[in-house]
Amino acid sequence: MINKLVNKIKQTGAPIVVGLDPMLNYIPEHVQKKAFAEYGETLEGAAEAIWQFNKEIVDKTCDLIPAVKPQIAMYEQFGIPGLMAFKKTVDYCREKDLVVIGDIKRGDIGSTSAAYAVGHLGKVQVGSKTYAPFDEDFATVNPYLGSDGVNPFTEVCRQEKKGLFILVKTSNPSSGEFQDQLIDGRPLYELVGEKVAAWGADCMGDEYSYIGAVVGATYPEMGKVLRRIMPKAYILVPGYGAQGGQGKDLVHFFNEDGLGAIVNSSRGIIAAYKQDAYAQFGPENFGDASRAAVKAMIDDIGGALADR
Amino acid sequence: MINKLVNKIKQTGAPIVVGLDPMLNYIPEHVQKKAFAEYGETLEGAAEAIWQFNKEIVDKTCDLIPAVKPQIAMYEQFGIPGLMAFKKTVDYCREKDLVVIGDIKRGDIGSTSAAYAVGHLGKVQVGSKTYAPFDEDFATVNPYLGSDGVNPFTEVCRQEKKGLFILVKTSNPSSGEFQDQLIDGRPLYELVGEKVAAWGADCMGDEYSYIGAVVGATYPEMGKVLRRIMPKAYILVPGYGAQGGQGKDLVHFFNEDGLGAIVNSSRGIIAAYKQDAYAQFGPENFGDASRAAVKAMIDDIGGALADR
């Protein structure tokens, strides 16, 4: 799957991923109204609004982008109906041949991580049958429990040719509280980065490893160091746009080959119609606004990479 | 909810929690067969087997124990039907007046943690209505992202009078890879423990804070230190029984008042009928075997506390 991701990035010229993190207040009123008219102001109604919103954005952007990243929390908050919309979104994006990165940030002791791994990336056994319950292509994983919490995920990735992005340095303001603590003079995130490189060495695709890392756009200097520590790891970079990162800050997340990083934008794309720059589209054409925002993001990052 | 938990521990004299982590291979064949006869060897069939298994164990142990801890991964691995069995289990346990600790180990950037918090502990808004989608009483949280990943959970806890157990030192063999790294001569888990104490200071119940910690039974010396660092935090102690911890190892997780810790056993209780010690019950009476195992666990821990 890392080979597919790399190939799709080369084909589209777009090292970007659209974060499908639909808060209800991002969804235009007419979409919400229609869903509530059918299902009421219920969890099912919210799930339907999310699904219709996602579908329009995917339809309007899928030819431009290699991948999407649905954030499962935004679905899970609406309970079972929300999770059904998550699954529907994953399935639809895969039908559209997009690479699906499940932003699930799971991680637990070995036997429990194994359950998450089969549920999200692999197949679960029921009697004599097997099923692929959520069937994302990649998943994000939290490393706090160490190797035996990560290994069950890498094992499933090897079997299924799928991949991971492991949290190394997250984009949020207080990520440094623990991640930046110095151990023998070096921050914890560097140690985690070294582990990611080691875990990934056994799971190589053609050019890059199946095992990637999450490093926030909001910490470009740290991205530069981590790029060197994990040369074969694809870096998933959240925090572009709404969280503050810009194309010029991101060049050091990429290798010299122009590959090695994929930049996520969520709100900046899916709620583009709410920004002044795209207001001319109006809420009715929110999908077209998202398409314009994707193009602007590709230009911003492509320009920054060309200028370096 | 921490007051309810403490009161129920006092009433039952049982500082223990039953981990409802049903692997299919723990579930007696007759239960699986019946579920598969009705739903086929499907995700729905697996979910039904899990639900019937849980129900019997809860029915046979609920008068002896204060709390249960369903591990969501074991349900999530069976997709949407599995998560429906999780919800059914949570609802049933709450009906039985048990405190429900959702072992979800979520944690993300602020806005995303907020979504998990409302989904699992709080209420989500849909138009003019609100819903409590999963409605556990406590949730486990991963601290790797720092304060702004934890604060949305504590805010919901304050509103809803619910609680958290934050991962400090986990029970698995490789937990030390990152958690034991020394920062100015002190392990990372101590820093996390200090943060738990600080986060919890603003969320006090009568005797203990709403904000507790997870510290593995497999590391009793570290438990002793962490007990002192977080005097007002309830400690959820996994790793008893199958993972290797014993009653005598656990006394230092408790305060002098005999409170302050709640010990989890999962496999040791729910799959008790598979152990030599309870083989006389047979698979048909797996619930009675679980009841006997709960009594033995209460005696083991109670005896260790009395002897100290």
Side-chain angles (χ1 to χ4, degrees):
Chain A
M1 197 48 71
I2 188 68
N3 295 339
K4 179 174 177 181
L5 181 63
V6 172
N7 288 335
K8 283 193 70 95
I9 290 171
K10 287 177 183 168
Q11 280 162 26
T12 55
I16 72 168
V17 51
V18 172
L20 296 173
D21 309 355
M23 312 268 272
L24 270 189
N25 63 8
Y26 296 171
I27 302 180
E29 217 176 301
H30 71 280
V31 177
Q32 292 193 48
K33 270 193 174 161
K34 196 167 165 233
F36 294 162
E38 195 169 352
Y39 294 93
E41 289 180 342
T42 60
L43 296 176
E44 288 76 11
E48 173 68 10
I50 288 172
W51 158 242
Q52 293 297 342
F53 179 69
N54 284 350
K55 184 172 178 301
E56 174 70 9
I57 289 167
V58 169
D59 286 344
K60 286 283 163 65
T61 61
C62 63
D63 60 316
L64 301 176
I65 58 173
V68 291
K69 181 176 76 62
Q71 165 54 260
I72 200 169
M74 297 304 166
Y75 304 81
E76 200 165 315
Q77 69 178 326
F78 296 107
I80 302 293
L83 287 158
M84 291 170 79
F86 175 80
K87 170 140 186 62
K88 218 162 156 180
T89 299
V90 170
D91 290 348
Y92 189 72
C93 292
R94 289 187 51 139
E95 270 173 42
K96 294 277 175 187
D97 203 34
L98 291 165
V99 173
V100 178
I101 302 168
D103 197 354
I104 61 172
K105 294 191 178 67
R106 303 301 197 245
D108 208 302
I109 66 167
S111 53
T112 309
S113 277
Y116 283 129
V118 300
H120 285 279
L121 300 172
K123 297 188 190 77
V124 70
Q125 189 87 27
V126 182
S128 60
K129 306 271 176 58
T130 56
Y131 298 91
F134 287 106
D135 209 15
E136 298 109 296
D137 297 315
F138 285 81
T140 56
V141 167
N142 187 308
Y144 189 67
L145 285 88
S147 293
D148 60 27
V150 172
N151 292 340
F153 285 100
T154 57
E155 274 162 38
V156 168
C157 287
R158 265 195 295 268
Q159 285 160 23
E160 303 285 339
K161 308 265 180 222
K162 294 197 169 181
L164 304 178
F165 293 102
I166 295 170
L167 304 190
V168 174
K169 171 68 187 173
T170 56
S171 62
N172 57 312
S174 68
S175 67
E177 258 174 41
F178 304 126
Q179 296 166 25
D180 294 2
Q181 292 290 344
L182 295 181
I183 294 147
D184 295 333
R186 299 175 62 214
L188 175 62
Y189 63 77
E190 287 192 26
L191 261 76
V192 180
E194 282 174 2
K195 280 282 179 187
V196 167
W199 290 324
D202 293 335
C203 308
M204 281 298 296
D206 292 342
E207 299 164 81
Y208 284 91
S209 173
Y210 291 5
I211 311 303
V214 174
V215 183
T218 41
Y219 300 103
E221 287 305 313
M222 300 176 186
K224 200 169 172 175
V225 174
L226 287 164
R227 178 68 288 167
R228 281 199 301 271
I229 290 176
M230 317 174 289
K232 295 295 180 191
Y234 238 82
I235 301 180
L236 172 63
V237 189
Y240 176 88
Q243 283 185 57
Q246 290 185 308
K248 64 180 171 46
D249 302 326
L250 300 180
V251 292
H252 299 299
F253 289 83
F254 290 84
N255 279 320
E256 291 302 316
D257 57 7
L259 297 170
I262 184 162
V263 182
N264 180 75
S265 177
S266 300
R267 203 182 339 161
I269 304 290
I270 67 175
Y273 77 96
K274 289 194 158 196
Q275 298 170 39
D276 289 346
Y278 305 104
Q280 77 268 23
F281 289 99
E284 289 73 26
N285 303 306
F286 67 94
D288 296 307
S290 294
R291 183 175 179 85
V294 164
K295 285 184 172 172
M297 184 175 170
I298 293 171
D299 289 347
D300 178 36
I301 293 173
L305 285 173
D307 286 350
R308 73 168 169 179
Chain B
M1 197 49 73
I2 188 68
N3 295 341
K4 179 174 176 180
L5 181 63
V6 172
N7 287 336
K8 282 191 71 91
I9 290 171
K10 288 177 183 170
Q11 279 163 25
T12 55
I16 72 168
V17 51
V18 171
L20 295 173
D21 309 356
M23 312 268 272
L24 271 189
N25 63 9
Y26 296 171
I27 302 181
E29 219 177 300
H30 71 280
V31 177
Q32 291 193 48
K33 270 194 174 162
K34 192 164 171 238
F36 294 162
E38 195 169 355
Y39 295 94
E41 289 180 342
T42 59
L43 297 176
E44 289 77 11
E48 173 68 11
I50 287 172
W51 157 243
Q52 294 296 344
F53 180 68
N54 284 349
K55 186 173 176 301
E56 175 69 10
I57 289 167
V58 170
D59 286 344
K60 286 282 164 66
T61 59
C62 62
D63 59 315
L64 301 176
I65 57 173
V68 291
K69 181 176 74 64
Q71 166 53 262
I72 198 169
M74 297 303 166
Y75 304 81
E76 200 165 316
Q77 70 178 326
F78 296 108
I80 302 290
L83 287 159
M84 291 170 79
F86 175 80
K87 171 143 186 57
K88 218 162 156 179
T89 299
V90 170
D91 290 349
Y92 188 72
C93 291
R94 289 187 50 141
E95 270 173 41
K96 293 278 175 187
D97 204 36
L98 291 165
V99 172
V100 179
I101 302 168
D103 197 355
I104 62 173
K105 295 192 179 64
R106 303 303 196 241
D108 208 301
I109 66 167
S111 53
T112 309
S113 277
Y116 282 128
V118 300
H120 285 279
L121 300 172
K123 297 188 190 77
V124 69
Q125 188 88 25
V126 182
S128 60
K129 304 271 176 59
T130 56
Y131 297 91
F134 286 106
D135 210 15
E136 299 109 296
D137 297 314
F138 285 81
T140 56
V141 168
N142 186 308
Y144 188 66
L145 285 89
S147 293
D148 59 26
V150 173
N151 292 339
F153 285 100
T154 57
E155 275 162 38
V156 168
C157 287
R158 265 196 293 269
Q159 285 160 24
E160 304 285 340
K161 309 265 179 220
K162 294 196 169 180
L164 305 178
F165 292 101
I166 295 170
L167 305 189
V168 173
K169 171 68 186 173
T170 57
S171 61
N172 56 313
S174 68
S175 67
E177 256 174 45
F178 304 127
Q179 297 166 24
D180 294 2
Q181 291 289 345
L182 295 182
I183 294 146
D184 295 333
R186 298 176 61 214
L188 175 61
Y189 63 76
E190 287 192 26
L191 262 76
V192 179
E194 282 174 4
K195 280 283 180 188
V196 167
W199 291 324
D202 292 336
C203 310
M204 282 298 296
D206 292 341
E207 300 165 82
Y208 285 91
S209 172
Y210 291 7
I211 311 303
V214 174
V215 182
T218 40
Y219 300 103
E221 286 304 313
M222 300 177 186
K224 199 169 173 176
V225 174
L226 287 164
R227 179 67 288 167
R228 281 199 300 271
I229 290 176
M230 316 174 292
K232 294 294 180 191
Y234 239 82
I235 302 180
L236 172 64
V237 188
Y240 177 88
Q243 284 184 59
Q246 289 185 308
K248 64 180 170 48
D249 302 326
L250 302 179
V251 292
H252 299 300
F253 289 83
F254 290 83
N255 279 319
E256 291 302 316
D257 57 6
L259 297 170
I262 184 162
V263 182
N264 179 76
S265 177
S266 299
R267 204 183 336 161
I269 304 289
I270 68 174
Y273 76 96
K274 290 192 157 196
Q275 296 170 42
D276 289 345
Y278 306 104
Q280 78 270 23
F281 290 99
E284 291 73 26
N285 302 307
F286 67 95
D288 296 309
S290 294
R291 185 176 177 85
V294 163
K295 285 184 173 172
M297 184 175 170
I298 293 172
D299 288 347
D300 177 37
I301 294 173
L305 284 174
D307 286 350
R308 72 169 169 178

